[in-house]
Amino acid sequence: MALDISELQTITHDVIVVGAGGAGLRAAIECSRQGLDTGVVCKSLLGKAHTVMAEGGAAAALGNADSRDNWKVHFRDTMRGGKFLNQWRMAELHAKEAPERIRELEEWGAVFDRTADGRINQRNFGGHRFPRLAHVGDRTGLELIRTLQDKGVHSGISVHMECTGLGLMMDGGRVAGMVGYWRETGRFVVFRAKAVIFATGGFGKAWKITSNSWEYTGDGQRMAYDVGAELMDMEFTQFHPTGMVWPPSVAGVLVTEGVRGEGGILRNKDGKRFMFEYIPEKFAAETADTEEEALRWLQGDRDARRPPELLTRDEVARSIYNEVKMGRGSPHGGAFLDISHRPADYVKKKLPSMYHQFKELAEVDITKEPMEVGPTFHYAMGGLAVDHDSQMCPKVPGLFACGEVAAGLHGANRLGGNSLSDLLVFGRRAGMGAKEFIDANPGLPKVDEARVKQLIDQAKEPLMRPDGENPYVLHDDLRESMTRNVGIWRDAEGMSQGIADIAKFRERLKNVKAHGTSQYNPGWSEAIDLHSMFVAAEATARSGLMREESRGAHSREDFQGERKEWIKYNIVCFKGDDGEMVVQKVERQSGPAELEKIANASIEDVEAGRV
Ligand code: MEZ
């Protein structure tokens, strides 16, 4: 029977925010504050978001734990951590605005841990010069979500839960809304809006071992790409060094960097503290090379050099990987992370979730025994290219992106804790950007009926087929291929194989069957999500293949080390006229002189305010 569009449920808002993690909630609060009728669409239940996996804290130069900290030092750390591929303006805005966003969160009810004199406490994290992470034990992301959710529901936003986006509608070159389906009933819905904000997160589910949960399939990246948006920096995928490795059912679950921030030590199977062996030349001046010095630092001597466990995540993940490869790994293919030298009460107070997580899931008491940990796909530095101030996707007027789905702030590697401050700073900015856009374009765009039909027909295909392949098998094959071919270390042969695999998977997707009806049908949802995972995975492999160097989180066996010529480029992917993915190098603009000076200055000059 032909689809009658007039019979479809239609929901209209000034703006819809897709995704209800920290970025989506902060954007929605801002939209509502600006007087916009705001709808939040979330794939899962409100409050269930990858934001909670940023456990150890939110980075902001409050200067509470060390008064030498300021936005310039934070900016410099972020640029260096990102290996100078970050967008200058985004790194500047982030470092300048993060402290205000944290204080605002506190005003809204977030209960941060305190210093002895009652200020927001801050802890150490990899790549941050000073203790900078405002935290709530090891549940910071959860507290952030709780606070924003509370603020959001009292700001009059409408929440549409358990709804997955299928695709965007356009009207004369501007975005007109999104078509989706309710996961519970399988019914379709058209969201009409004057602006759309994507805060849909990352795509870790295309890899086997990941801290991401089932929602993170790259939906925003794919929907925006389909209507002409550019994906940028997709080769940079962050493997957090410490995920659980045992038991297999919980492999990949995050073990917060806060453990190392509180003094956790990494050892190999021979009990050797191996990170001292892996200090890269450029970090040598800042990193302790003896246990004694690392200990002095832990005891509060801020002029001692930092323990090498707090090198940036790319460095630590590669080091663990190498120990395993050399046969020095833990029994289940990782390393040992030990915090048992700290007093048990302290560990339970600062790391309560880790204590319970290991007790309940692995029967390990972390106050007495080491944890077994290994790298886990945690975060995508790449995503939608956006305007740096407003967060609008330049190629798709009216579409905004913030949080993990957006690219630019983190460059080649994100510093831990910068994600939470990112989503607060740029969630707010996306809300302001949407308001500005709507003020300039106040009419409600038209519904493109042909597009709605096309999206719904495509979504129904796996249900309508008489028979076909199981979507879960296809997903497993994708994860297998990405893990093998586009993992921590990559080379041309592997990435080419990954691209070839995806082409075959796309053919197989044409024959996938979801059994049963559209109601409560996870197999059907899986079949739909595969489209998005393929786009994200292909963009990662293609961008990785083009970037012939190793930089940050992109490590190539066949092109080791950074290459000077590559610092000049970001890589973007977009959909060509023939429907195939186009990959291009885009020359970077040099940063404003003042910012370049800060990023390149010595730490002494930045701390002393000489730049
Ligand atoms: O920003 C993050 O990813 C984070 C804070 C994670 C963690 O280890 O706690």
Side-chain angles (χ1 to χ4, degrees):
M1 206 167 55
L3 179 72
D4 182 352
I5 301 284
S6 66
E7 304 240 304
L8 281 180
Q9 181 185 15
T10 301
I11 296 175
T12 304
H13 292 289
D14 287 332
V15 57
I16 57 163
V17 180
V18 187
L25 285 169
R26 186 61 190 82
I29 290 167
E30 196 58 35
C31 290
S32 182
R33 237 182 182 185
Q34 304 271 351
L36 299 175
D37 168 19
T38 307
V40 172
V41 183
C42 43
K43 191 166 175 178
S44 193
L45 295 172
L46 186 66
K48 184 175 178 307
H50 191 52
T51 306
V52 303
M53 280 294 128
E55 297 164 335
L62 294 162
N64 291 351
D66 193 316
S67 59
R68 289 173 294 181
D69 202 10
N70 60 54
W71 80 264
K72 290 181 181 172
V73 187
H74 191 182
F75 167 79
R76 180 180 180 275
D77 289 347
T78 300
M79 291 300 297
R80 286 170 173 248
K83 309 293 187 267
F84 286 86
L85 276 194
N86 327 53
Q87 300 301 313
W88 295 91
R89 174 73 176 149
M90 289 179 83
E92 177 194 13
L93 288 171
H94 170 253
K96 281 184 173 165
E97 294 179 4
E100 197 43 46
R101 299 282 74 75
I102 294 293
R103 284 192 279 267
E104 172 183 74
L105 209 62
E106 188 178 40
E107 275 167 32
W108 294 348
V111 188
F112 289 104
D113 286 6
R114 320 303 297 181
T115 58
D117 62 354
R119 291 173 302 155
I120 294 175
N121 201 358
Q122 297 185 271
R123 69 155 51 110
N124 290 294
F125 248 55
H128 292 282
R129 170 87 181 159
F130 297 115
R132 189 176 280 145
L133 271 77
H135 60 275
V136 184
D138 55 0
R139 296 179 179 138
T140 314
L142 187 64
E143 178 68 355
L144 196 140
I145 285 279
R146 186 198 65 74
T147 308
L148 292 174
Q149 201 175 310
D150 204 37
K151 177 78 181 165
V153 294
H154 292 100
S155 306
I157 58 177
S158 309
V159 181
H160 308 287
M161 287 195 272
E162 297 198 275
C163 184
T164 297
L166 293 171
L168 287 168
M169 301 182 297
M170 302 294 289
D171 176 17
R174 73 179 271 197
V175 83
M178 185 182 81
V179 179
Y181 72 100
W182 304 106
R183 301 176 70 89
E184 194 185 340
T185 60
R187 290 184 184 280
F188 296 100
V189 53
V190 174
F191 292 99
R192 299 185 66 186
K194 300 170 188 172
V196 174
I197 299 177
F198 272 173
T200 49
F203 49 84
K205 285 313 275 184
W207 275 255
K208 213 155 84 178
I209 303 293
T210 176
S211 63
N212 292 195
S213 56
W214 62 267
E215 300 91 337
Y216 294 91
T217 52
D219 303 0
Q221 288 84 342
R222 194 266 306 156
M223 286 192 278
Y225 166 87
D226 275 347
V227 296
E230 284 178 346
L231 295 167
M232 187 176 78
D233 294 341
M234 291 293 281
E235 66 274 36
F236 300 113
T237 48
Q238 179 165 83
F239 294 87
H240 191 297
T242 58
M244 292 180 81
V245 294
W246 188 260
S249 56
V250 294
V253 169
L254 197 74
V255 179
T256 177
E257 188 173 329
V259 176
R260 282 172 286 134
E262 297 296 344
I265 287 170
L266 284 165
R267 295 190 194 279
N268 65 18
K269 79 168 177 17
D270 307 320
K272 183 176 161 90
R273 191 171 175 184
F274 58 84
M275 282 307 301
F276 285 107
E277 308 294 311
Y278 292 97
I279 301 171
E281 217 172 285
K282 70 166 100 163
F283 291 117
E286 298 179 2
T287 312
D289 45 22
T290 63
E291 296 223 11
E292 292 67 41
E293 180 147 39
L295 186 65
R296 263 179 43 218
W297 178 89
L298 183 62
Q299 286 162 344
D301 177 355
R302 292 288 158 223
D303 292 319
R305 293 180 302 161
R306 308 159 58 77
E309 279 82 2
L310 289 178
L311 286 165
T312 51
R313 288 180 176 175
D314 51 339
E315 303 288 352
V316 182
R318 277 191 295 266
S319 308
I320 296 177
Y321 179 95
N322 196 53
E323 285 299 299
V324 176
K325 195 170 148 199
M326 301 308 283
R328 300 189 290 261
S330 63
H332 302 103
F336 292 111
L337 174 63
D338 195 3
I339 187 79
S340 64
H341 50 284
R342 301 288 262 166
D345 284 353
Y346 182 85
V347 172
K348 286 187 198 166
K349 181 162 167 246
K350 296 305 276 186
L351 303 164
S353 293
M354 293 304 106
Y355 176 73
H356 290 294
Q357 184 171 308
F358 274 90
K359 202 85 208 250
E360 279 152 34
L361 301 179
E363 296 182 358
V364 167
D365 179 349
I366 67 167
T367 66
K368 300 195 177 94
E369 308 158 78
M371 300 156 245
E372 230 187 308
V373 295
T376 178
F377 188 116
H378 181 53
Y379 190 90
M381 269 67 74
L384 295 167
V386 289
D387 172 77
H388 306 155
D389 284 73
S390 73
Q391 300 291 109
M392 189 160 84
C393 297
K395 306 277 175 177
V396 188
L399 177 65
F400 297 78
C402 52
E404 190 175 351
V405 71
L409 169 60
H410 308 293
N413 174 56
R414 177 176 68 81
L415 297 185
N418 271 0
S419 56
L420 290 186
S421 35
D422 166 1
L423 55 85
L424 294 172
V425 167
F426 293 105
R428 170 174 167 273
R429 284 189 160 269
M432 297 191 316
K435 164 71 174 158
E436 204 177 308
F437 179 82
I438 291 172
D439 282 350
N441 303 275
L444 183 67
K446 290 197 299 289
V447 171
D448 175 350
E449 296 199 358
R451 170 79 173 150
V452 176
K453 280 190 181 144
Q454 178 215 344
L455 288 167
I456 292 178
D457 286 346
Q458 188 190 21
K460 285 199 304 199
E461 279 168 11
L463 289 170
M464 308 302 272
R465 270 179 209 119
D467 216 341
E469 189 176 351
N470 181 338
Y472 290 103
V473 173
L474 192 43
H475 187 182
D476 267 358
D477 289 351
L478 171 70
R479 298 190 311 163
E480 201 58 54
S481 173
M482 287 304 108
T483 303
R484 190 170 354 101
N485 296 312
V486 199
I488 293 190
W489 281 100
R490 306 141 179 205
D491 62 15
E493 198 188 335
M495 287 184 283
S496 306
Q497 183 60 53
I499 294 165
D501 286 349
I502 293 166
K504 287 192 206 128
F505 298 155
R506 280 214 172 89
E507 284 306 307
R508 285 167 58 188
L509 184 54
K510 292 183 186 154
N511 188 37
V512 149
K513 169 69 185 163
H515 290 280
T517 69
S518 60
Q519 288 151 31
Y520 304 104
N521 191 336
W524 181 41
S525 298
E526 177 87 337
I528 289 171
D529 288 348
L530 282 168
H531 291 278
S532 301
M533 284 186 272
F534 290 165
V535 169
E538 182 182 354
T540 304
R542 285 196 186 279
S543 307
L545 191 58
M546 179 171 272
R547 181 171 289 279
E548 294 186 332
E549 66 161 350
S550 295
R551 183 179 294 273
H554 176 59
S555 310
R556 288 193 59 159
E557 306 258 21
D558 48 353
F559 289 95
Q560 303 218 359
E562 290 174 11
R563 310 260 159 136
K564 237 189 181 155
E565 64 271 23
W566 273 102
I567 201 172
K568 295 194 213 123
Y569 301 104
N570 292 102
I571 293 176
V572 298
C573 304
F574 58 90
K575 196 172 194 168
D577 293 339
D578 59 358
E580 296 298 312
M581 188 175 282
V582 180
V583 195
Q584 269 175 8
K585 299 198 286 194
V586 176
E587 199 153 341
R588 290 170 56 76
Q589 287 169 358
S590 45
E594 184 216 358
L595 295 183
E596 293 226 12
K597 220 160 135 189
I598 298 168
N600 291 309
S602 74
I603 190 63
E604 291 77 22
D605 283 348
V606 180
E607 274 174 37
R610 287 193 285 270
V611 286

